[in-house]
Amino acid sequence: MKINNIMKIGIIGTLILIVLASGCTSSSTNETKTFSDGNMSFNYPADFYDVNYSGNEIESSTMRLIGMLENKDGLTIYVLRIKLELPSLKQKRELFQALKIH
């Protein structure tokens, strides 16, 4: 019985040492940078850098490219802004009047 307990403790101890040696318990030190255009901001991994672009890479009636970030592995983050035309105050009032139940 004592030999079985010693063997179990040895196996568990060995597994713990393997996990510790493999780095599974190390803390992550992921650094980030912040993208900001004055209207919005977000954090992204520090190994990405700004890419020059002409602005025509992604341009449609609904979206506009406002930034590109890339890392050394060739991964690219495209920062897009959705184009929305908000109605004027007059248009809002007209819509409200049209929807108003009499």
Side-chain angles (χ1 to χ4, degrees):
M1 195 69 129
K2 284 187 176 186
I3 295 176
N4 284 340
N5 286 339
I6 292 172
M7 200 167 210
K8 288 179 186 176
I9 291 172
I11 291 172
I12 292 172
T14 303
L15 290 174
I16 290 173
L17 287 175
I18 290 171
V19 168
L20 291 174
S22 70
C24 291
T25 60
S26 65
S27 63
S28 177
T29 57
N30 292 336
E31 294 182 27
T32 60
K33 294 180 183 176
T34 302
F35 176 90
S36 178
D37 74 340
N39 293 319
M40 69 167 185
S41 65
F42 63 88
N43 293 333
Y44 61 94
D47 66 333
F48 280 77
Y49 53 89
D50 290 327
V51 176
N52 290 329
Y53 63 95
S54 67
N56 295 327
E57 284 86 349
I58 299 176
E59 184 75 30
S60 73
S61 61
T62 58
M63 289 187 285
R64 182 172 59 95
L65 181 68
I66 61 170
M68 284 176 62
L69 308 167
E70 195 171 277
N71 71 0
K72 63 181 172 61
D73 298 324
L75 297 173
T76 305
I77 298 173
Y78 294 96
V79 184
L80 302 168
R81 173 165 292 137
I82 297 174
K83 296 179 183 178
L84 291 176
E85 291 187 25
L86 298 175
S88 67
L89 183 57
K90 180 182 176 186
Q91 291 169 323
K92 288 178 187 177
R93 285 182 182 152
E94 290 171 354
L95 180 61
F96 181 75
Q97 290 298 323
L99 296 174
K100 196 173 185 181
I101 299 175
H102 293 283

